[in-house]
Amino acid sequence: MISSDAMRGYNDVLILAILHQGDSYGYKIGKEIRERTAGQYIIRETTLYAAFNRLSKNGYIEAYPGAVTNGKPRTYYRITTSGQTFLAVKAAEWRRVKTVVDLFLNQPLTDL
């Protein structure tokens, strides 16, 4: 399992990538992250909703009420144009970071 510390800087990107594919709600987004990572990363509910607040505050997502479940309206999220731009920037940044890290880790590490 991947630690939440290792994923901390990428939670927003994961959420935005899911929302880029279509509007969704908290539980479903958390489930999607767990399923796509084959259970290697399980985002905590508190982490997920903190990310929603941060992304909303930055104008990257919008919340709106959806269907009523258990007597309470489910909150849905959609990515904004600013969120799509931010996601594209972060995706390009990730490719550069991965390239740099691979330069060091793709060689034999004999001392490990």
Side-chain angles (χ1 to χ4, degrees), residues 7-20 33 36 43 51 54-55 60 79 83 86-94:
M7 294 299 294
R8 182 163 291 131
Y10 301 101
N11 288 322
D12 293 358
V13 174
L14 300 180
I15 293 166
L16 290 173
I18 290 169
L19 292 175
H20 182 71
I33 291 170
R36 283 200 203 180
I43 191 167
R54 184 174 49 255
L55 290 166
Y60 299 148
I79 191 169
F86 179 75
L87 177 60
V89 167
K90 296 308 268 182
E93 178 184 276
W94 168 252

Side-chain angles (χ1 to χ4, degrees), residues 11-93:
N11 288 322
D12 293 358
V13 174
L14 300 180
I15 293 166
L16 290 173
I18 290 169
L19 292 175
H20 182 71
Q21 296 175 346
D23 297 2
S24 195
Y25 55 95
Y27 175 79
K28 189 173 179 185
I29 291 170
K31 183 178 176 191
E32 181 75 17
I33 291 170
R34 184 177 62 249
E35 288 175 356
R36 283 200 203 180
T37 64
Q40 292 183 74
Y41 181 54
I42 299 170
I43 191 167
R44 289 181 285 202
E45 193 172 313
T46 54
T47 301
L48 187 62
Y49 286 95
F52 289 153
N53 288 332
R54 184 174 49 255
L55 290 166
S56 181
K57 181 180 173 186
N58 289 331
Y60 299 148
I61 64 171
E62 296 173 335
Y64 63 93
V68 175
T69 56
N70 298 325
K72 182 178 171 186
R74 180 177 281 157
T75 301
Y76 277 78
Y77 300 92
R78 75 173 62 105
I79 191 169
T80 64
T81 302
S82 295
Q84 291 173 355
T85 301
F86 179 75
L87 177 60
V89 167
K90 296 308 268 182
E93 178 184 276

